[in-house]
Amino acid sequence: MPLLDILNAARPRKLLAIDGGGIRALLSIEVLARIEHLARTAYGNEHLVLADCFDYFAGTSTGAIIATLLATGATVDDIRDLYVHIGPLMFSHARLSERLRFRYDDEPLARMLKQRLGADTTLGGELVKTLLLLILRDATTDSPWPISNNPGASFNQPDSPTCNLRFPLWQLVRASTAAPLYFPPEVIAVGGIEHVFIDGGLTPFANPAFQLFLMATVDRYNLGWPIGEDRMLLVSLGTGSTSGARAGLHPREMNLLYQAGAIPHALLSAANIEQDMLCRVFGRCRFGDVIDSEIGDLIGSRGPLERKLFTYLRYDIELSRASLDALGLGHIQPSIFAHLDSIAGIPELQEVGRALATKVTSAHFGGFFPESPTSTTPDRPAPP
């Protein structure tokens, strides 16, 4: 379906957002495979891709790679194969002379993106079949840079010399994945001035779900899709979270080295939770893990609004001993997932992803996929 038809279609909207998380994206890919299977069954089309039934994809960092591939019509099998076979090459060590600035060479990733997307394909090109939101951080202006191919957006007007739609798509995706210490930054000329971009995970939108909702509905973004829990579905996929908790921590241990590692993790983790919580408060949450022991999972919660603004699904897992045991994965050690570049844990990530995917049911998509039941969780129906 041409992008213009998607913009003008009179139907409930389906949005899908994918977090950052390095190679741990393999976990979310298995959940995507389950969603694709349910969609193919519901629509009666074994060749359907998620770009055929979702209107707007969003991604941050590694999620930007997946969201872009989905928006261009890739199957989940194709994306999985890419991560399994090409993923390890993405973490090729940089030259010794450069390792004080970044750990890995960006050329394998850049080469793969150019091959898959085309070196000359732009954000506004016909290769992108749906709306697409990518999260970058502009280090030059010290600001988040959410960029979309929405043709009505203020900075996407074709008569503007700085029209965002002309940027090479591969370069925007590469910029969103430029995690400091892991990869070098990406330089993009904006209005004739070179800007330095780094990983979008270093913004409040490492989980881009609520920002995706805002850019689909707030009038200043010039899209303005209708809201309502029966008119918009927002699906959010995490890449597994790890805890920085340390039992018995002594104040004397909190030196400069400790703080350098602990503070970024703490801020990013808190931002991710906040974005998830906003979605559950303003949307009708049909599925999601417990946020914390005080508020639980917010399924069935009324919140501050008389009416919910959208229907919300959140698929993620804390990669802890307790969570893995609950999935029957006691043989997997959580420590293997400690780092975003832990390519040795690829088989285990896929196994965890497949276990998490078993929780995805057709009932979650009731009212948005054909013939899907419309019930929420049987034991806790949503209040009227």
Side-chain angles (χ1 to χ4, degrees), residues 225-237:
W225 282 346
I227 58 173
E229 60 183 284
D230 60 339
R231 306 177 80 177
M232 180 171 288
L233 172 69
L234 175 57
V235 182
S236 175
L237 273 62

Side-chain angles (χ1 to χ4, degrees), residues 28-269:
S28 62
I29 288 171
E30 296 305 323
V31 177
L32 283 169
R34 174 64 176 166
I35 296 173
E36 183 185 68
H37 168 73
L38 293 175
R40 287 176 172 179
T41 301
Y43 284 91
N45 179 0
E46 63 180 8
H47 301 295
L48 176 142
V49 294
L50 292 179
D52 294 327
C53 55
F54 279 85
D55 303 289
Y56 209 157
F57 294 99
T60 301
S61 193
T62 194
I65 298 175
I66 299 173
T68 300
L69 293 174
L70 289 173
T72 59
T75 67
V76 179
D77 279 347
D78 190 26
I79 297 172
R80 180 195 291 116
D81 289 344
L82 177 72
Y83 267 78
V84 170
H85 297 113
I86 306 298
L89 297 179
M90 297 180 190
F91 296 100
S92 301
H93 284 285
R95 294 189 299 270
L96 286 173
S97 60
E98 296 176 331
R99 290 189 196 175
L100 288 177
R101 296 193 300 123
F102 47 85
R103 188 177 303 173
Y104 299 112
D105 182 8
D106 66 322
E107 184 53 34
L109 176 58
R111 184 168 55 249
M112 180 276 290
L113 292 172
K114 290 177 185 178
Q115 290 173 347
R116 291 299 303 256
L117 304 175
D120 299 322
T121 299
T122 62
L123 177 64
E126 293 183 359
L127 182 68
V128 185
K129 305 179 185 304
T130 70
L131 285 176
L132 174 65
L133 167 63
L134 304 174
I135 305 294
L136 295 69
R137 181 176 183 272
D138 187 342
T140 300
T141 61
D142 191 26
S143 60
W145 213 55
I147 183 169
S148 167
N149 64 335
N150 171 16
S154 298
F155 293 102
N156 287 353
Q157 301 313 302
D159 56 349
S160 170
T162 59
C163 176
N164 288 344
L165 296 180
R166 299 195 190 103
F167 291 126
L169 181 58
W170 76 265
Q171 196 173 25
L172 295 174
V173 177
R174 156 68 189 114
S176 183
T177 66
L181 302 182
Y182 286 91
F183 295 104
E186 186 71 21
V187 178
I188 302 176
V190 181
I193 301 174
E194 289 189 342
H195 286 235
V196 178
F197 288 94
I198 59 174
D199 196 311
L202 295 177
T203 72
F205 315 124
N207 171 352
F210 196 68
Q211 181 66 19
L212 174 60
F213 165 71
L214 294 177
M215 292 186 71
T217 58
V218 173
D219 57 353
R220 295 300 176 91
Y221 292 114
N222 298 322
L223 191 57
W225 282 346
I227 58 173
E229 60 183 284
D230 60 339
R231 306 177 80 177
M232 180 171 288
L233 172 69
L234 175 57
V235 182
S236 175
L237 273 62
T239 55
S241 62
T242 56
S243 174
R246 280 186 55 184
L249 177 66
H250 194 280
R252 283 197 296 268
E253 297 178 67
M254 302 178 71
N255 52 35
L256 290 177
L257 186 61
Y258 169 88
Q259 302 289 14
I263 290 176
H265 179 276
L267 293 176
L268 292 174
S269 176

